[in-house]
Amino acid sequence: MTDITGTGTTLDLGPQTEELARLVAGVSDGQLAGPTPCPEYRVRHLLGHLAGLAAAFRDAARKDLGVTTDTSPGSALPDVAPGWREELPKVLAELAEAWRDLAAWTGMTRAGGVDLPGEIAGLVATDELVVHGWDLARATGQRYEPDPAALRVCHDFLAASVDDPGRGAIFGPVVTVGPEASLLARAVGLSGRDPEWAPQP
């Protein structure tokens, strides 16, 4: 198994999912219709997307392939479902627990209707959790403290995709940031987002 953290271990997604759960708890009902850094998403759609990807990557880790892992994220505009305030943190915790099993990082699995190695699925899950955490924090005016290990893995994953001709189907054009920018700002720029994005008054 490839060492993705530089410490001889796989990545514990628990600290990052806990940070996301904290952000979810801080979203008010009045913010659900607000804009996000994802132009096609309002906050409610971003939360719906997070719920869908959390279930998909939980099941991808378990190799429990079916509707959650076979559905393309672009097949429909996601939205929050009744009970999302309780359900989303629960699914995020289940995702983290599923990826604590070393078997999740090996063999083949599926997410978003795409077959891929377990290790790559884990990297994609990390990227989604870190970048969409930033999206949600910016959209709702909350502080954001991503897990440092997850942030480093996310940054390196995005940096490795810069010259990939297929990245345009997933990420927007890289937004260049200054050499003094934080690791989070660099990762956000690599994802195709403007690190200075803020909701317009």
Side-chain angles (χ1 to χ4, degrees), residues 128-171:
E128 293 275 347
L129 294 170
V130 171
V131 173
H132 286 316
W134 180 85
D135 290 334
L136 185 60
R138 278 304 176 103
T140 57
Q142 300 186 68
R143 65 178 173 82
Y144 183 42
E145 298 178 1
D147 171 56
L151 174 58
R152 169 58 63 184
V153 168
C154 170
H155 172 272
D156 293 351
F157 172 73
L158 289 167
S161 77
V162 169
D163 296 324
D164 184 345
R167 70 161 271 138
I170 305 172
F171 307 114

Side-chain angles (χ1 to χ4, degrees), residues 32 63 99 118 124 145 158 189 192:
L32 291 177
K63 311 296 196 292
W99 285 98
V124 175
E145 298 178 1
L158 289 167

Side-chain angles (χ1 to χ4, degrees), residues 81-92:
W84 64 271
R85 289 188 182 279
E86 296 74 34
E87 184 63 19
L88 183 46
K90 175 176 175 287
V91 178
L92 286 167

